[in-house]
Amino acid sequence: MPGPGAPFALLAAAVLLAVALVLSGPGRPPPTQLPPSLLQELEQRRRDLSRLAAASSVQEGAFSTPDPPGRAAAADALGCADLNGITGVGLVGSGITKLVLRASLPPGGEEVALKSVHWAGGDVSRCVQRYGHPAGCHQLATYKLLKEMALLQRLHHPGIIKLRGQCYDSSLDPEMKVTTILELGTPLEMIQLLQTSWEERFKICLDLVQLLYYLANSPLGSCALLDFQPRQFVLVDGILKVTDLDDVSTEELSCRRDDDCTLEFPTRSFFLKCTTDGKCEGINEKRNLFNAYRYFFTYLLPHTAPFALQPILKDILNATGDLRYGANETLIAFQKVLHLYKSGFYLQKKRFHLKEYIALKGFYSADTEDYKCWLSYSNLGCVLSVHNAEEAAAICSSHPQCRHFIITPRRTWTGRPLALFQSNLTDLISGGNMVAYVKRSAASKESLYPEA
Ligand SMILES: Nc1ncnc2c1ncn2[C@@H]1O[C@H](COP(=O)(O)OP(=O)(O)O)[C@@H](O)[C@H]1O
Ligand SMILES: *[C@@H]1O[C@H](CO)[C@@H](O)[C@H](O)[C@H]1NC(C)=O
Ligand SMILES: *[C@@H]1O[C@H](CO)[C@@H](O)[C@H](O)[C@H]1NC(C)=O
Ligand SMILES: *[C@@H]1O[C@H](CO)[C@@H](O)[C@H](O)[C@H]1NC(C)=O
Ligand SMILES: [Mg+2]
């Protein structure tokens, strides 16, 4: 692990440079030294990057005159100078191409993620093994980082990691050294997600669907995440964000006939149409949706969903799994589920459990350990999201240990209150203005007011 500031000591205070400048910048190994196939790959990457830069300058040109390089950076963008004196540097993740460090920026200690080429990663080492040309291979990997940066400058959505700035140091020729400065997230842990409530898992899926809707209708056209896996996502303040964009296609696959438009996955293939202008119709959007289905929805959506929502969720899974829904329809379907969930529609049968409870105003609960329950929001005891006191009463009645509950002022992302379920009546403390609901059977067996 690098010591504080070590990898960045070399990063002199340099001006922010846009991709356009980087493209013509130093650090390109003379083409003659490169093996032809590596040269070809580099040229392809270079064209890809220029196309990306050109595509969006045309589009932005419609609104304003183009500014000099560096323009894409917002007024508050960070640069190399901001990386002087960073502290708390530590590894947060690495993939085959990139290495990601966390660091605190002076003076306030704000934390950011710093992405750079992973020189010891699989991508560069495989390339060196194959071509025996480290400089060319470093260049190739740098192009991936630059492409990601170019996309992050042009795509803006809560579901896409935010680019805070960049640092480009040309003094490290011939390895063009680039660092992107991003908002810091926490890598997505699917195993951990499977142990959270349905409401939280649904949020991850809804965040993803909103991202796919944006990507399908983005300013750069319909974009596909070619390397779509949970490890390309992080959570920032509970919001799902994609962070790995080096493998994004902003173009639909070209074709001559329908046979060229097979979308293949290990478990299934889809046969798409080739349009008259030679593009596989909707292939990017469909690729994203099926990946969302196979990596996210099948794991996160159905399990422990409210009973009445299960048929609707099953329909969504079926429609996305068969690619009958596009991003638009999928988003509408998810919004419908959210609406039904928030409205408490899923509470089909009113069983009037609440009448078995005595409501005592002016109580709160000690933060002590009590019985635990599956998918609890607290590890001290049983805390669950509820629609109202009636639903909480039904839950309490279904837990043998539960003797009382309190609807707390804490809210989940949907605005539903969290209820605290407890068994030990001594946890209840007089004071405040919350209402404690005590099971009548428990209240009669054991007086709540021993002195009375
Ligand atoms: N902004 C970030 N905050 C926290 N962790 C991140 C961030 N960006 C990426 N990571 C972590 O670093 C890993 C590698 O980054 P990624 O861009 O996916 O590189 P690669 O292209 O090599 O796969 C990711 O899998 C993720 O766990
Ligand atoms: C969707 O439902 C149909 C009809 O029941 C079934 O044949 C198909 O396999 C389902 N698809 C998925 C992806 O579940
Ligand atoms: C999806 O919705 C957007 C915005 O309303 C619209 O521009 C686009 O044409 C729609 N796409 C499809 C395939 O219906
Ligand atoms: C109830 O709480 C009291 C005080 O915190 C504790 O002494 C007692 O052991 C608890 N009883 C049970 C059954 O957990
Ligand atoms: Mg990755």
Side-chain angles (χ1 to χ4, degrees):
M1 196 145 312
F8 306 100
L10 293 169
L11 300 176
V15 287
L16 292 178
L17 287 173
V19 168
L21 195 54
V22 169
L23 279 171
S24 59
R28 257 197 228 177
T32 48
Q33 297 171 357
L34 289 161
S37 42
L38 178 55
L39 180 63
Q40 216 173 351
E41 245 188 277
L42 277 170
E43 285 301 339
Q44 200 195 322
R45 287 260 160 201
R46 213 169 279 164
R47 274 197 304 274
D48 198 23
L49 204 49
S50 321
R51 199 170 46 212
L52 199 56
S56 64
S57 68
V58 167
Q59 190 230 339
E60 285 164 7
F63 304 101
S64 62
T65 50
D67 289 333
R71 180 219 61 76
D76 59 348
L78 300 169
C80 296
D82 296 291
L83 300 183
N84 286 327
I86 52 173
T87 55
V89 178
L91 186 70
V92 272
S94 65
I96 59 163
T97 316
K98 287 162 283 172
L99 187 75
V100 184
L101 303 176
R102 70 188 307 143
S104 301
L105 301 178
E110 188 199 354
E111 286 204 296
V112 290
L114 303 174
K115 238 191 221 192
S116 54
V117 170
H118 189 7
W119 304 114
D123 218 7
V124 173
S125 49
R126 260 194 302 276
C127 173
V128 172
Q129 218 165 41
R130 189 164 161 212
Y131 298 116
H133 197 295
C137 292
H138 291 179
Q139 188 83 52
L140 197 62
T142 299
Y143 273 124
K144 292 191 181 180
L145 192 60
L146 289 175
K147 175 175 177 180
E148 180 171 283
M149 178 154 57
L151 283 166
L152 289 176
Q153 282 171 334
R154 287 157 180 85
L155 299 175
H156 301 280
H157 187 265
I160 299 178
I161 200 84
K162 196 169 158 207
L163 181 69
R164 299 287 314 279
Q166 67 230 46
C167 173
Y168 164 62
D169 183 8
S170 58
S171 69
L172 292 180
D173 190 88
E175 300 168 18
M176 188 163 49
K177 178 120 190 179
V178 180
T179 302
T180 55
I181 309 170
L182 306 163
E183 61 182 340
L184 180 65
T186 50
L188 194 65
E189 289 287 349
M190 280 311 242
I191 304 290
Q192 223 168 298
L193 266 185
L194 290 173
Q195 293 163 30
T196 60
S197 68
W198 177 81
E199 193 171 336
E200 299 308 309
R201 281 180 275 116
F202 176 70
K203 179 180 195 302
I204 299 296
C205 294
L206 178 61
D207 286 350
L208 182 60
V209 169
Q210 283 168 337
L211 170 65
L212 297 193
Y213 175 84
Y214 173 80
L215 290 177
N217 304 289
S218 97
L220 297 174
S222 180
C223 301
L225 303 174
L226 297 178
D227 187 9
F228 191 123
Q229 291 187 58
R231 65 167 172 267
Q232 317 300 11
F233 293 83
V234 295
L235 292 176
V236 179
D237 298 330
I239 299 171
L240 183 77
K241 293 177 190 249
V242 63
T243 172
D244 188 345
L245 289 175
D246 67 46
D247 220 356
V248 162
S249 168
T250 57
E251 311 244 305
E252 304 273 29
L253 190 66
S254 295
C255 54
R256 299 191 39 221
R257 50 190 168 279
D258 291 353
D259 286 352
D260 299 332
C261 297
T262 306
L263 182 55
E264 276 183 86
F265 295 98
T267 53
R268 259 206 87 159
S269 296
F270 297 93
F271 305 96
L272 311 183
K273 292 259 175 296
C274 183
T275 61
T276 47
D277 50 346
K279 295 283 175 192
C280 295
E281 194 166 21
I283 194 164
N284 285 351
E285 177 176 343
K286 289 188 159 66
R287 181 191 295 276
N288 286 343
L289 274 167
F290 192 78
N291 278 323
Y293 163 80
R294 70 180 178 134
Y295 285 115
F296 287 83
F297 302 164
T298 55
Y299 296 108
L300 301 179
L301 265 191
H303 160 68
T304 70
F307 186 74
L309 293 177
Q310 285 177 9
I312 307 170
L313 295 171
K314 209 172 146 218
D315 287 347
I316 292 181
L317 278 168
N318 188 279
T320 50
D322 284 344
L323 289 181
R324 274 187 289 113
Y325 282 178
N328 289 10
E329 292 97 326
T330 307
L331 180 59
I332 291 168
F334 270 76
Q335 284 167 339
K336 188 175 141 200
V337 171
L338 176 61
H339 174 77
L340 289 174
Y341 184 64
K342 277 183 163 178
S343 69
F345 148 91
Y346 69 92
L347 298 166
Q348 280 172 321
K349 291 174 241 148
K350 285 262 185 291
R351 291 238 206 81
F352 303 106
H353 284 279
L354 197 55
K355 66 179 187 328
E356 292 160 25
Y357 292 77
I358 305 166
L360 300 169
K361 204 168 156 61
F363 278 91
Y364 66 98
S365 183
D367 238 356
T368 50
E369 217 165 315
D370 204 306
Y371 83 93
K372 316 287 187 294
C373 59
W374 176 232
L375 305 178
S376 175
Y377 278 76
S378 158
N379 44 27
L380 273 180
C382 180
V383 176
L384 299 171
S385 137
V386 295
H387 181 65
N388 53 22
E390 181 62 52
E391 185 184 14
I395 292 171
C396 186
S397 298
S398 75
H399 291 172
Q401 310 95 315
C402 185
R403 287 152 105 183
H404 61 95
F405 65 88
I406 283 180
I407 309 286
T408 75
R410 276 180 69 198
R411 296 282 185 274
T412 64
W413 70 275
T414 60
R416 287 156 53 94
L418 288 177
L420 170 62
F421 300 90
Q422 291 183 315
S423 101
N424 197 338
L425 284 170
T426 61
D427 289 343
L428 280 182
I429 300 167
S430 162
N433 52 14
M434 281 191 280
V435 180
Y437 296 87
V438 182
K439 237 183 217 168
R440 285 182 192 277
S441 52
S444 56
K445 263 188 245 140
E446 208 177 303
S447 173
L448 196 57
Y449 304 101
E451 70 275 15

